[in-house]
Amino acid sequence: MLRPAILTFAALALLQTATSAQYRKTCLVDAGENNATDDALAIISAFKDCGRGGRVVFKPTTYYVNSVMNITWLDDVKVDLYGKLLVRATSIHIVNQSTAFVLGGNKVHINGHGSGTLDGNGDYWYEWIRQQPNTSNYPGRPHAITFNGLRNSIVEGLTFLRSQMWTMSIIYSHYVELDSILVNNTGNRVSSSNTDGADTIRSSHIKFNNWTVYNGDDSLAFKANSTDISITNSRFFNGLGIALGSIGQYKDQYETVERVKVENVHFGNTLHAVSFTFLGLHAADISSSMQKPGLMTRMATRQTAVGADAADMGFTNLETADLRGAAVAISQCTRFSGAPGQGNCTSSQFQIRDITITGLKGTTKSSRVASLQCSAVAPCTNISILDAELEFSNGTVASEYLCGNVKDQKGWECTGEVCVGGSATGEC
Ligand SMILES: *[C@@H]1O[C@H](CO)[C@@H](O)[C@H](O)[C@H]1NC(C)=O
Ligand SMILES: *[C@@H]1O[C@H](CO)[C@@H](O)[C@H](O)[C@H]1NC(C)=O
Ligand SMILES: *[C@@H]1O[C@H](CO)[C@@H](O)[C@H](O)[C@H]1NC(C)=O
Ligand SMILES: *[C@@H]1O[C@H](CO)[C@@H](O)[C@H](O)[C@H]1NC(C)=O
Ligand SMILES: *[C@@H]1O[C@H](CO)[C@@H](O)[C@H](O)[C@H]1NC(C)=O
Ligand SMILES: *[C@@H]1O[C@H](CO)[C@@H](O)[C@H](O)[C@H]1NC(C)=O
Ligand SMILES: *[C@@H]1O[C@H](CO)[C@@H](O)[C@H](O)[C@H]1NC(C)=O
Ligand SMILES: *[C@@H]1O[C@H](CO)[C@@H](O)[C@H](O)[C@H]1NC(C)=O
Ligand SMILES: *[C@@H]1O[C@H](CO)[C@@H](O)[C@H](O)[C@H]1NC(C)=O
Ligand SMILES: *[C@@H]1O[C@H](CO)[C@@H](O)[C@H](O)[C@H]1NC(C)=O
């Protein structure tokens, strides 16, 4: 039975539809009585009825999603999510990743109106993963949502709580704006790991604006063939900062990350502001590397024969508070635990070039402004760091710029050798 409050809400939704300039068939998604009902069926059914040219409205209530949803055929749809989806589904596999919810299509506008929430019920996963011998790559640990083939679309006003693993993977997607998104993957019982805010792969023209991310891994990460990406007016806490990479996860395939613009971003207690990581892996490692583990446990570097590059990027007005490591880090030999071999850190074909960082201010706990460990085969070229003013809480200025194999830098001088084979945190 519908309660009066919900009737009022339904009436409101209908009224909105009637008064909108263009009539849209509207489907109001019914929620089951309690957590024993799987609302996934009602949700899929609403998208089937109204997902092409219509509107799908979620009431301000909790929906229990106990099975996976794979909804990739949307076309010109408006989605109003006032309530919360509590996801307890496990996962389906999609291009070597596991995910609980796949969504894709053309001209999709999802609006959470500041209250719409996707809750991954992640506390369970964070505890479970700690009990496993192989914490990094637990099979089937799902991403909260995967946008697959999403085009000309807007996603705004949503909150993501305690994602199972990565929050949002964005693949084969183009011209998507992701605005005013809050991600809070802070565990209630144990801390979370491998809970990236968002990852782009084989996607272009993706705009992140007004994001706030609390997590335990990459705040936002741009991987293989991500181009024309922007991040503006955002805040990242506790994670690793903005990650370009990891690159080099696909055997025999060239990978690029190009034309990235970042402006007005705050980094609170993150490890880095910006980092570039390269992995050259053998085929056997590929699927597990897609389930990229967190900082603690990186896998071995092995070189691929094909090239990769990260180029043409501008970072402007970055503000830090208690950064935990080098603000700008390049590492060509990121390692995951458990994998054999140490790799050769300076022989990768990964070329990083044309990067400009203008305005890097705030506090840090590391003396390193930059730690740039580049390849002897493909040196980093044209790396500018201008107007950097980082200091410890006692006012001492951070002044180290460690580097290896860097050419044509501007705005800074190398103050020492970077430690090859180590992370940029200083524990080499
Ligand atoms: C479902 O709800 C009941 C009653 O609130 C609660 O006791 C039970 O633990 C819940 N089950 C799950 C799987 O959340
Ligand atoms: C998801 O749906 C798409 C399109 O309907 C289909 O091609 C794909 O195989 C489905 N994926 C899974 C894992 O079910
Ligand atoms: C998935 O992984 C396999 C190897 O495990 C690889 O051959 C294949 O290219 C990958 N597919 C994609 C789409 O990345
Ligand atoms: C860890 O996971 C990988 C990939 O799933 C697997 O090949 C390996 O055997 C696992 N190791 C242990 C110790 O469980
Ligand atoms: C930014 O996003 C937050 C939600 O995380 C929202 O409350 C706020 O109004 C947004 N700010 C702007 C200027 O849109
Ligand atoms: C994030 O979640 C944690 C754990 O529930 C909570 O303590 C914290 O207040 C939340 N932060 C925000 C900004 O909502
Ligand atoms: C990236 O794009 C290039 C050029 O379009 C293509 O050759 C390569 O296979 C792509 N790599 C991946 C991992 O998709
Ligand atoms: C790593 O590769 C570089 C470039 O090919 C080479 O100069 C260097 O000697 C190699 N180092 C080791 C330890 O093999
Ligand atoms: C250096 O990189 C910047 C972009 O970060 C670009 O605007 C500039 O033209 C590059 N300089 C050279 C000499 O290529
Ligand atoms: C400020 O703190 C840093 C890091 O703890 C320390 O190395 C430095 O000596 C301190 N400077 C002064 C003037 O106390």
Side-chain angles (χ1 to χ4, degrees):
M1 282 297 292
L2 290 177
R3 281 167 289 147
I6 291 176
L7 274 178
T8 306
F9 185 78
L12 180 70
L14 286 174
L15 188 69
Q16 280 175 346
T17 308
T19 55
S20 75
Q22 185 201 0
Y23 175 77
R24 284 181 174 268
K25 183 181 177 190
T26 297
C27 292
L28 196 57
V29 185
D30 272 324
E33 296 276 307
N34 55 44
N35 66 8
T37 314
D38 182 4
D39 292 319
L41 301 176
I43 295 169
I44 292 166
S45 158
F47 277 107
K48 280 191 172 147
D49 287 349
C50 294
R52 295 185 178 92
R55 178 189 298 267
V56 174
V57 180
F58 291 82
K59 301 168 193 173
T61 185
T62 297
Y63 294 84
Y64 294 92
V65 181
N66 301 345
S67 48
V68 297
M69 300 190 291
N70 181 18
I71 302 167
T72 54
W73 30 261
L74 299 173
D75 188 17
D76 183 23
V77 59
K78 295 200 183 305
V79 180
D80 292 300
L81 176 59
Y82 293 95
K84 177 198 271 197
L85 305 190
L86 180 61
V87 180
R88 297 181 306 179
T90 52
S91 59
I92 53 173
H93 284 279
I94 176 161
V95 283
N96 292 340
Q97 302 173 46
S98 299
T99 190
F101 186 4
V102 186
L103 199 130
N106 190 31
K107 288 170 73 180
V108 178
H109 185 169
I110 302 174
N111 194 338
H113 302 277
S115 61
T117 302
L118 202 64
D119 184 335
N121 200 28
D123 283 318
Y124 158 80
W125 283 104
Y126 309 156
E127 286 184 323
W128 172 256
I129 234 70
R130 291 201 167 198
Q131 292 156 17
Q132 306 312 307
N134 203 348
T135 56
S136 47
N137 298 316
Y138 191 76
R141 185 180 173 193
H143 302 176
I145 192 166
T146 295
F147 292 119
N148 183 16
L150 188 65
R151 298 162 329 270
N152 308 306
S153 294
I154 300 172
V155 177
E156 60 177 327
L158 281 179
T159 296
F160 291 84
L161 288 182
R162 284 167 276 288
S163 301
Q164 306 87 317
M165 195 181 124
W166 292 1
T167 302
M168 188 187 286
S169 40
I170 301 167
I171 59 180
Y172 302 112
S173 293
H174 307 280
Y175 296 97
V176 176
E177 287 179 32
L178 302 148
D179 202 331
S180 301
I181 305 280
L182 168 66
V183 175
N184 188 353
N185 291 341
T186 310
N188 285 311
R189 299 192 289 263
V190 299
S191 64
S192 72
S193 63
N194 208 0
T195 51
D196 292 8
D199 289 76
T200 63
I201 301 166
R202 295 173 174 148
S203 293
S204 71
H205 300 278
I206 311 292
K207 289 186 180 172
F208 296 85
N209 181 54
N210 189 27
W211 274 59
T212 305
V213 179
Y214 293 83
N215 74 341
D217 209 302
D218 297 335
S219 306
L220 295 179
F222 309 129
K223 301 186 190 307
N225 290 5
S226 294
T227 54
D228 297 287
I229 311 285
S230 70
I231 308 174
T232 49
N233 312 316
S234 295
R235 294 149 298 278
F236 303 130
F237 299 95
N238 309 335
L240 307 185
I242 298 169
L244 289 305
S246 299
I247 294 278
Q249 302 196 339
Y250 297 85
K251 186 179 163 64
D252 301 335
Q253 283 192 61
Y254 172 80
E255 290 174 44
T256 188
V257 179
E258 281 179 71
R259 297 182 299 281
V260 172
K261 289 240 169 311
V262 175
E263 206 169 333
N264 303 334
V265 177
H266 175 88
F267 299 88
N269 189 44
T270 56
L271 182 60
H272 307 297
V274 184
S275 66
F276 298 77
T277 52
F278 175 83
L279 305 169
L281 297 177
H282 283 199
D285 299 329
I286 291 173
S287 51
S288 56
S289 71
M290 293 303 294
Q291 306 264 327
K292 185 184 65 58
L295 173 72
M296 306 308 165
T297 51
R298 302 269 190 192
M299 197 180 291
T301 303
R302 299 205 219 125
Q303 312 311 328
T304 48
V306 289
D309 68 11
D312 197 1
M313 302 189 190
F315 298 83
T316 311
N317 194 18
L318 310 183
E319 180 194 74
T320 68
D322 292 332
L323 214 58
R324 292 179 283 123
V328 185
I330 295 176
S331 166
Q332 300 262 15
C333 50
T334 303
R335 279 190 225 94
F336 292 75
S337 70
Q342 300 280 304
N344 180 338
C345 297
T346 57
S347 67
S348 99
Q349 309 266 336
F350 180 30
Q351 163 126 72
I352 299 166
R353 62 188 159 80
D354 303 333
I355 312 293
T356 303
I357 294 160
T358 313
L360 174 59
K361 294 190 170 57
T363 60
T364 183
K365 294 177 192 157
S366 166
S367 56
R368 296 171 183 182
V369 178
S371 170
L372 313 180
Q373 185 260 308
C374 300
S375 165
V377 176
C380 298
T381 48
N382 184 22
I383 312 292
S384 303
I385 304 176
L386 312 168
D387 302 325
E389 288 174 31
L390 297 181
E391 55 183 42
F392 287 91
S393 53
N394 65 12
T396 298
V397 172
S399 56
E400 281 189 290
Y401 290 79
L402 306 184
C403 76
N405 301 310
V406 177
K407 292 200 319 197
D408 306 331
Q409 72 262 39
K410 290 183 200 75
W412 60 281
E413 298 289 337
C414 203
T415 61
E417 276 294 304
V418 72
C419 55
V420 174
S423 75
T425 53
E427 301 107 28
C428 220

